[in-house]
Amino acid sequence: MASVNPIRYVGAIPVLIDSETATWNMSPDALRKAFVQAATKGKLPKAVIVVHLYGVVAKIGEIRHICREFGVPLIEDAAESLGSTWHGQMTGTIGDIGFYSFNGNKIITTSGGGMLMMPNEETKQLALKLATQAREDAPHYEHDQVGYNYRLSNVSAGIGRGQLEVIEQRVQARRRVFARYERMFRQLGTTYQREVPYSRANRWLTAMQLDQTELHRDTLMQRLATAGIESRPVWKPMHLQPVYRDAEYVTVDGEDVSRRLFKNGICLPSGSDLTLVEQQQVIQTVLDTRSIVAEQSV
Ligand SMILES: *Cc1c(COP(=O)(O)O)cnc(C)c1O
């Protein structure tokens, strides 16, 4: 929701773009289709917001290329992908503007808040002004427009600076968690978000698809819950959310990829501090569920 709601805050109308099956992020083909449709109507969007879901880098090269072709700025929602890179460059700095979240559930946290990545001094000053109640540089607090109170406190920023030092260790820990799941479930037929060439995901959360296994998502979630293990479905796509039911949604050839990814997708415990023993319990529960399902189907 946090990616889409700001569009409404400023009175704009979101157009939702379907996912592709490799990274599960914005489909460049669907984006191009949306642009062509918009250009025909003579009304291009003010910006494109791309998310790097669960820290897996989107097809950002293609997406940036399409945006430049149509002259539309690209905003990177790197809230989940701090530490992920593309050609060695941090996500959040590849588009025209980027942002990170330091919410409690993210790879590093300041308990709340986030950070903007700005392309130049002018844009940075504008953002700082808007985040500070649009205060002008005058001793009596002069205001010529409506601003916000959207700043990170100095205390939070201090925590954040400390946390930044451990980001690489966190990324390595999450990648190890991901690699173990992938290795242990190989025989089940589970599939995962793929890394595009020259990208490195922080694997903030391990999410997997069950459509090529004998496992049903809700059954598996139930078994995990019984074993005291928290899991979640893959984020519900925005076009299926009641609040954005009426939003325009662009897919390629009428195929609803994001709905399919949601239906069969599950997020597993992936914390940087997940111990080997804890992860082994998750793995064993999944394997046991698979055995029970297989027996029942005989
Ligand atoms: C967490 C998150 C945000 C921002 O969350 P805040 O709680 O506002 O910091 C934005 N987009 C995505 C994809 C997120 O996961």
Side-chain angles (χ1 to χ4, degrees):
M1 296 313 291
S3 315
V4 186
N5 283 344
I7 299 169
R8 293 288 294 271
Y9 299 161
V10 298
I13 301 164
V15 174
L16 307 171
I17 310 291
D18 198 6
S19 308
E20 37 81 10
T21 52
T23 76
W24 309 3
N25 290 303
M26 177 183 282
S27 156
D29 292 339
L31 177 65
R32 178 173 289 283
K33 184 174 165 186
F35 266 137
V36 170
Q37 284 174 356
T40 314
K41 290 183 209 151
K43 207 169 171 58
L44 285 173
K46 284 280 194 288
V48 167
I49 303 176
V50 62
V51 179
H52 302 288
L53 193 74
Y54 303 128
V56 173
V57 183
K59 291 189 171 174
I60 193 74
E62 283 174 68
I63 290 168
R64 188 172 66 175
H65 180 82
I66 297 168
C67 287
R68 284 186 179 161
E69 191 183 318
F70 286 87
V72 172
L74 176 61
I75 301 173
E76 272 182 285
D77 178 345
E80 301 178 3
S81 68
L82 181 59
S84 302
T85 57
W86 181 70
H87 288 277
Q89 194 176 345
M90 287 279 176
T91 55
T93 69
I94 302 163
D96 298 293
I97 285 177
F99 59 85
Y100 304 115
S101 166
F102 302 135
N103 192 38
N105 63 346
K106 299 295 161 33
I107 194 157
I108 62 170
T109 181
T110 61
S111 87
M115 183 161 71
L116 283 175
M117 303 301 290
M118 295 312 220
N120 53 46
E121 187 60 28
E122 193 190 338
T123 332
K124 176 185 149 188
Q125 290 306 332
L126 177 62
L128 277 174
K129 180 182 164 187
L130 287 172
T132 320
Q133 302 286 23
R135 197 174 78 206
E136 297 292 327
D137 187 16
H140 55 269
Y141 292 171
E142 181 91 351
H143 305 268
D144 65 2
Q145 68 187 113
V146 177
Y148 309 87
N149 188 9
Y150 276 180
R151 292 175 316 283
L152 195 69
S153 78
N154 53 358
V155 175
S156 297
I159 297 170
R161 291 186 61 161
Q163 292 254 305
L164 270 178
E165 310 208 336
V166 298
I167 182 73
E168 178 54 26
Q169 283 112 283
R170 297 275 171 93
V171 172
Q172 286 179 18
R174 304 240 173 182
R175 287 180 64 87
R176 275 197 299 273
V177 167
F178 168 79
R180 257 180 239 125
Y181 281 134
E182 194 194 27
R183 191 169 62 243
M184 298 308 288
F185 297 150
R186 199 157 278 165
Q187 75 272 29
L188 302 185
T190 48
T191 54
Y192 304 84
Q193 295 172 277
R194 293 206 299 273
E195 288 173 316
V196 292
Y198 306 105
S199 76
R200 179 176 185 255
N202 68 9
R203 295 290 179 186
W204 174 57
L205 290 187
T206 293
M208 62 184 188
Q209 290 294 320
L210 303 171
D211 57 334
Q212 292 175 52
T213 72
E214 292 181 66
L215 290 165
H216 187 269
R217 188 194 64 198
D218 296 337
T219 316
L220 180 58
M221 284 189 61
Q222 191 57 55
R223 296 276 313 179
L224 287 166
T226 307
I229 298 163
E230 187 186 8
S231 66
R232 261 172 216 282
V234 161
W235 301 156
K236 186 172 185 177
M238 289 302 120
H239 72 291
L240 301 178
Q241 296 287 357
V243 62
Y244 289 118
R245 196 175 26 219
D246 298 329
E248 191 183 335
Y249 174 53
V250 182
T251 61
V252 184
D253 302 329
E255 197 202 357
D256 193 342
V257 175
S258 67
R259 179 194 289 266
R260 180 155 57 82
L261 293 170
F262 167 59
K263 194 165 150 258
N264 303 304
I266 183 171
C267 292
L268 296 172
S270 313
S272 318
D273 54 359
L274 189 73
T275 66
L276 208 53
V277 172
E278 287 168 333
Q279 194 179 0
Q280 201 51 49
Q281 287 168 356
V282 181
I283 291 167
Q284 202 51 54
T285 308
V286 173
L287 295 176
D288 288 350
T289 309
R290 166 62 179 68
S291 306
I292 293 163
V293 171
E295 272 170 35
Q296 284 168 349
S297 64
V298 170

